Amino acid sequence: MADTIDAYSIQNWLESCPQSYLMDTEYGHGPEEKEPDFILDNEVVLEETIKATVQLVVGERCALSASSGLINAAPDEASRRFLATQTLDEARHVEVFTHRLYDLGVKKQDLEGTIQRYANPNLVKFAEILLEKVDRKDFVSGVVGQNIVLEGMAFSVFEMMHAMNEPVNAKFAHTLSGTIADERRHVGFGENRIGSLIQQHPEKRPEVEQMQKEMSYFMLATFADAFRNNQTANELEAAGIERPHSEYQGVDLGTMEPEEMEQVLADTVLKEFKTRLGRIGIEYQTPARP
Amino acid sequence: MGTAPVREVHDLEHERFLEEVHSFEFWFHSVEGYLSGTTYGHREETVDDSPSGAVDRQHLITVLSNYCIGEMAALEGASGLIAIAPNQLTKIFLSTQVADEGRHLEVLLHRMRDLGVKYPAQEADRRASRGLKQFRHELLRLVQGRDWEAAIFAQNVILESLEFAVFRAHAEGADPVTKEILDGIIKDERRHIGFGENELGRRLHAAPHVRTRLARVREELDHLILDMLEDSSREIGVEPDRKAELARAYLQSVERLGFT
Ligand SMILES: [Fe+2]
Ligand SMILES: [Fe+2]
Ligand SMILES: [Fe+2]
Ligand SMILES: [Fe+2]
């Protein structure tokens, strides 16, 4: 257990994020960095960006509820303390994405209304499946749902967004790189801690597999909504702004149709699920395609 | 549009103030000042002058055991409270508190390990006072009962004030490593107490009937707290006249909210 204590200790966390990549940032980015004009000056692009950021807040709120809710269900001290650092990470993510909404012009008093208006119902369903497990203090399902399914999804989405933003929006790319670093730790904990627990509780497998299948379905439905109804690409084209030729998973995002991008993201996440679940002894279940 | 009524302006300023002090950013800049350069709550170069005599050493281990159980209660309480917190801002503040309490627990367990305890969590549970364990149980009951005001009162006012008073008294006469660890914890606890007072102060102002309910919670918990103070004072070697001072320091926090 000694190794786990060190790797997942709060001491390790203090050294690896506040004293490292968060130094000299404000709400996750450099104090001078700003959202670019092509977003702020175009109503359609601005609304799409707000909509996309709302999904991030919704996802992070779910992660915050899940990680804090799992602390009292954790069977050992080291897991509790790791989850304490994760709780703070997730709270930070909620905060930085909320601040992005403010930077995009959402008024503080309109925050909840904006979130309600734009939150994708499929993402809300996805979150509900996980939070139901957390409410029941089901640690094994909760950690798989959170640290493998939710985090795995977040990780890939952030990476794709990072690739798209890096050439054109240094501020948001900076925010994303910090969250990606956090999520990487969270995913690592899920794999390391839960493998042995699954071995101890093989009877949990069918329930966990069913949860993964359901969550995956609602994740794909969220992706479908996000890409298929997105006006950003058309709008940028109409305005004569060339999309950056960002590379993600070996493809050029600057030349792809939204449906193709959706496909690449979905395939990447599902492949990741399969690998990670395999490592902890859970059989990946193919979800229905929305 | 005319000028906004004075109260509204005041509320807005207050909102802005809360927005700042309850944020991750605020927490981050606060702890940066006193945690950077420390490992498990103290600087590496601090000389470990812990008690060498077997009796004193055992004494310190017992005291730390009680602190650990107090911090476990705070970790469980703060994390459970996130689920019932009324808004995003309070959820974020409580998340910083969760990390603080987790850190407190970690540095104290680590200190016990330094003192030769092989399984500090188990040892803490074995040695901690019954009153403290009962308090932990009561606190969780309030959190699980989703009673926001009562749980915040029990945790961020009563428990935190007790810890604050005891840690401060102990730090005065402690060995250098233990003192540094406690000084860092005290700085965090001050933020937690501030949150509790702020959150409840406003609610008590807006809904005076809450006071009656909280007075009842206090009645139920007070004897546990005063017993714990008595025990802790004895263990950390507080002189009898300072004992009254400790009790007063605890009572003052509660009185600041108008409970006499
Ligand atoms: Fe997150
Ligand atoms: Fe995460
Ligand atoms: Fe504490
Ligand atoms: Fe505290």
Side-chain angles (χ1 to χ4, degrees), chain A residues 3-289:
Chain A
D3 287 339
T4 319
I5 289 175
D6 282 339
Y8 295 117
S9 65
I10 293 179
Q11 178 63 38
N12 182 58
W13 177 84
L14 281 168
E15 284 167 23
S16 59
C17 60
Q19 291 165 16
S20 151
Y21 56 85
L22 291 184
M23 274 292 182
D24 303 322
T25 62
E26 255 175 36
Y27 296 108
H29 56 82
E32 305 298 321
E33 291 169 334
K34 300 269 177 290
E35 291 292 330
D37 291 342
F38 81 88
I39 295 178
L40 299 175
D41 294 345
N42 182 313
E43 255 179 58
V44 177
V45 177
L46 181 63
E47 191 182 5
E48 291 291 1
T49 311
I50 291 175
K51 214 190 278 179
T53 310
V54 163
Q55 312 318 322
L56 303 184
V57 176
V58 172
E60 295 299 348
R61 280 185 174 183
C62 170
L64 172 55
S65 300
S67 53
S68 57
L70 286 170
I71 290 178
N72 288 341
D76 59 288
E77 273 314 311
S79 299
R80 284 177 162 219
R81 277 177 282 127
F82 176 80
L83 287 166
T85 67
Q86 185 175 343
T87 297
L88 184 55
D89 288 333
E90 305 303 0
R92 185 181 84 79
H93 302 166
V94 171
E95 184 169 294
V96 296
F97 293 136
T98 298
H99 265 262
R100 182 175 199 225
L101 288 176
Y102 297 152
D103 292 343
L104 294 169
V106 172
K107 300 262 181 300
K108 286 188 180 170
Q109 64 268 26
D110 296 337
L111 175 67
E112 294 305 322
T114 306
I115 291 173
Q116 263 184 17
R117 184 158 64 249
Y118 291 126
N120 186 308
N122 287 309
L123 183 59
V124 173
K125 270 261 179 245
F126 171 93
E128 281 169 358
I129 296 171
L130 168 59
L131 294 178
E132 193 253 329
K133 307 285 182 198
V134 175
D135 268 353
R136 286 200 281 110
K137 301 270 171 256
D138 179 344
F139 189 73
V140 174
S141 306
V143 172
V144 176
Q146 166 177 274
N147 292 57
I148 296 191
V149 181
L150 169 62
E151 305 278 359
M153 171 182 80
F155 187 78
S156 299
V157 168
F158 291 164
E159 281 211 319
M160 187 186 219
M161 285 183 136
H162 185 264
M164 294 196 302
N165 278 278
E166 204 178 19
V168 289
N169 188 347
K171 176 210 176 220
F172 191 48
H174 195 166
T175 305
L176 287 167
S177 65
T179 49
I180 288 170
D182 293 338
E183 306 303 6
R184 186 171 290 131
R185 261 196 322 278
H186 305 165
V187 173
F189 168 79
E191 276 184 34
N192 288 327
R193 184 64 193 100
I194 217 69
S196 57
L197 281 178
I198 292 281
Q199 267 177 6
Q200 285 164 29
H201 299 281
E203 76 284 359
K204 295 289 299 175
R205 276 199 188 113
E207 189 190 342
V208 170
E209 288 166 357
Q210 180 62 23
M211 173 192 70
Q212 173 257 311
K213 192 174 175 186
E214 285 174 23
M215 286 178 80
S216 302
Y217 171 81
F218 287 111
M219 174 190 78
L220 294 178
T222 308
F223 290 171
D225 293 339
F227 285 99
R228 292 176 205 175
N229 305 322
N230 197 311
Q231 299 304 314
T232 306
N234 292 341
E235 195 62 26
L236 289 179
E237 201 175 317
I241 301 172
E242 199 192 347
R243 283 191 289 153
H245 293 280
S246 321
E247 203 199 291
Y248 175 73
Q249 299 292 322
V251 297
D252 178 355
L253 295 174
T255 57
M256 291 182 108
E257 292 299 318
E259 288 77 6
E260 293 173 302
M261 287 159 77
E262 175 196 336
Q263 196 62 45
V264 172
L265 179 62
D267 290 348
T268 307
V269 182
L270 294 180
K271 210 171 93 203
E272 285 282 313
F273 283 176
K274 206 171 187 168
T275 314
R276 293 185 195 283
L277 290 168
R279 282 191 205 131
I280 61 166
I282 294 283
E283 200 171 317
Y284 165 79
Q285 304 293 311
T286 310
R289 287 273 176 167

Side-chain angles (χ1 to χ4, degrees), chain A residues 6 9-11 13 18-19 22-23 27 61 64 68 71-72 77 80-81 84 88 91-92 94-95 98, chain B residues 23-25 27-28 32 35-36 38-40 72 76 79 82 88 92 95-96 98-99 102-103 105-106 121:
Chain A
D6 282 339
S9 65
I10 293 179
Q11 178 63 38
W13 177 84
Q19 291 165 16
L22 291 184
M23 274 292 182
Y27 296 108
R61 280 185 174 183
L64 172 55
S68 57
I71 290 178
N72 288 341
E77 273 314 311
R80 284 177 162 219
R81 277 177 282 127
L88 184 55
R92 185 181 84 79
V94 171
E95 184 169 294
T98 298
Chain B
S23 67
F24 172 88
E25 284 291 310
W27 173 88
F28 182 52
E32 220 181 355
L35 290 186
S36 60
T38 64
T39 307
Y40 292 110
M72 275 178 204
E76 290 163 357
S79 56
I82 292 177
Q88 179 169 303
I92 289 177
S95 306
T96 67
V98 163
R103 187 185 79 80
L105 178 59
E106 180 170 292

Side-chain angles (χ1 to χ4, degrees), chain A residues 10 71 77 80-81 84-85 88, chain B residues 27 67-68 70-79 93-109 139 155-156 159-160 163 167 185 188-193:
Chain A
I10 293 179
I71 290 178
E77 273 314 311
R80 284 177 162 219
R81 277 177 282 127
T85 67
L88 184 55
Chain B
W27 173 88
Y67 294 173
C68 284
E71 296 298 348
M72 275 178 204
L75 174 58
E76 290 163 357
S79 56
F93 178 82
L94 284 166
S95 306
T96 67
Q97 186 174 341
V98 163
D100 289 336
E101 307 301 4
R103 187 185 79 80
H104 302 167
L105 178 59
E106 180 170 292
V107 296
L108 292 166
L109 290 172
L139 172 61
Q155 167 163 300
N156 283 51
L159 176 62
E160 300 279 358
E163 289 183 335
F167 293 170
I185 297 181
D188 295 336
E189 306 300 16
R190 193 178 303 215
R191 264 196 317 278
H192 307 164
I193 294 174

